Amino acid sequence: MGYFAGKVAIVTGATTGVGEGIAEELFHRGATVIITGRQFSRAQQTAKRIDPTGQCVIPMETDIRDHLSVKALIDNTMKQCGGLHMLVNNAGITGPHGINICDYSIDDWNDVINTDLSGTFFGLKYGIPAIIQSGGGAVVNLSSSNGIVGIPGIAPYTTAKHGVLGLTRSVALEFADKGVRINAVGPGYVDTPHMKTLSTEIREWMANSHPMKRMATREEVANTVAFLLSDESSFTTGVFYAIDGGYTAQ
């Protein structure tokens, strides 16, 4: 499982949830992993849990809504680790639920779009040159099952995740012959620690919305991301991998 030995990865929004699971998987496969979050203390706690030695999981405070913060993340990674080979643009928010677009506040719209879509753009803008400088590598962007379907009441999130998919495909074409592969994954509902705080009724509804009648595990998402980052998918770029138990096949 050490085939990422000597490689450096960044996983944004990795203090909890899916991002934490991805960071942990990349660490177990041998990578040095930079994990980011808006609160440095939470990033420190997660890094210490994954790697008590503090040598191979490194926390960095980053606000992906701020392009200068993302640039600093990439610059600091290059200085501290000597390279960047893998980037996972995971950080995102769903925003308020159950609100039609006419009632959605401008501030909430901007927060979702700036986090989920602009944050991914900033990661690509500053991360790709660093990956090229480091000899090439791969990027995985986190879209969603909402990236190819619509769900009422969360239009900004759905819009952003559709945008992530379009961004992935365009940028993959721009760098297909330059040693950088860019792909996207689209999880359905994932059984994260946050999900466990919800009521049994809501959890059952989420699970049953998938034809497989359960939610994904964090490990299942992380394994797919690791595959797309690895040389095992060396002829794969510009694709969307659904990890949704058949949700978008309905």
Side-chain angles (χ1 to χ4, degrees):
M1 295 294 288
Y3 56 70
F4 287 148
K7 302 295 185 181
V8 178
I10 290 175
V11 184
T12 65
T15 58
T16 189
V18 170
E20 180 184 10
I22 293 169
E24 186 165 10
E25 184 64 29
L26 299 185
F27 165 72
H28 286 312
R29 295 185 187 222
T32 296
V33 186
I34 310 299
I35 65 170
T36 81
R38 294 181 190 175
Q39 298 179 21
F40 184 61
S41 60
R42 291 186 63 186
Q44 283 182 307
Q45 292 170 4
T46 301
K48 186 175 182 179
R49 185 194 68 77
I50 297 174
D51 175 24
T53 71
Q55 296 178 348
C56 294
V57 179
I58 302 168
M60 291 191 186
E61 182 178 347
T62 306
D63 184 347
I64 63 165
R65 300 169 300 180
D66 177 0
H67 76 99
L68 293 178
S69 182
V70 177
K71 183 179 185 301
L73 164 68
I74 302 300
D75 290 344
N76 290 335
T77 297
M78 294 294 285
K79 291 176 183 177
Q80 188 165 340
C81 300
L84 176 64
H85 309 96
M86 299 177 286
L87 170 63
V88 182
N89 287 308
N90 165 78
I93 59 173
T94 58
H97 289 65
I99 302 175
N100 73 57
I101 199 64
C102 298
D103 296 327
Y104 221 93
S105 79
I106 300 298
D107 287 342
D108 287 337
W109 168 275
N110 287 337
D111 198 26
V112 173
I113 297 300
N114 290 340
T115 303
D116 296 7
L117 185 53
S118 295
T120 300
F121 160 61
F122 298 149
L124 294 168
K125 176 178 176 61
Y126 297 114
I128 288 175
I131 292 173
I132 292 173
Q133 182 181 334
S134 304
V139 179
V140 174
N141 298 322
L142 269 288
S143 181
S144 166
S145 57
N146 285 55
I148 57 174
V149 299
I151 294 180
I154 51 171
Y157 177 76
T158 302
T159 299
K161 293 305 184 180
H162 274 71
V164 167
L165 184 52
L167 184 61
T168 298
R169 287 169 169 160
S170 293
V171 177
L173 296 176
E174 293 175 358
F175 291 91
D177 62 349
K178 296 177 175 61
V180 183
R181 297 182 299 103
I182 300 103
N183 295 294
V185 296
Y189 293 113
V190 183
D191 197 12
T192 63
H194 170 70
M195 291 295 193
K196 298 183 191 305
T197 68
L198 302 177
S199 70
T200 299
E201 182 181 10
I202 292 175
R203 284 174 52 81
E204 288 179 351
W205 173 81
M206 288 177 169
N208 289 328
S209 68
H210 307 108
M212 292 180 71
K213 303 304 179 185
R214 66 175 179 85
M215 287 188 273
T217 67
R218 292 197 295 181
E219 291 76 15
E220 287 170 323
V221 176
N223 285 335
T224 302
V225 171
F227 165 71
L228 290 172
L229 291 172
S230 76
D231 289 341
E232 293 178 353
S233 62
S234 56
F235 200 57
T236 301
T237 196
V239 305
F240 172 80
Y241 267 68
I243 315 170
D244 63 5
Y247 180 86
T248 53
Q250 299 178 103

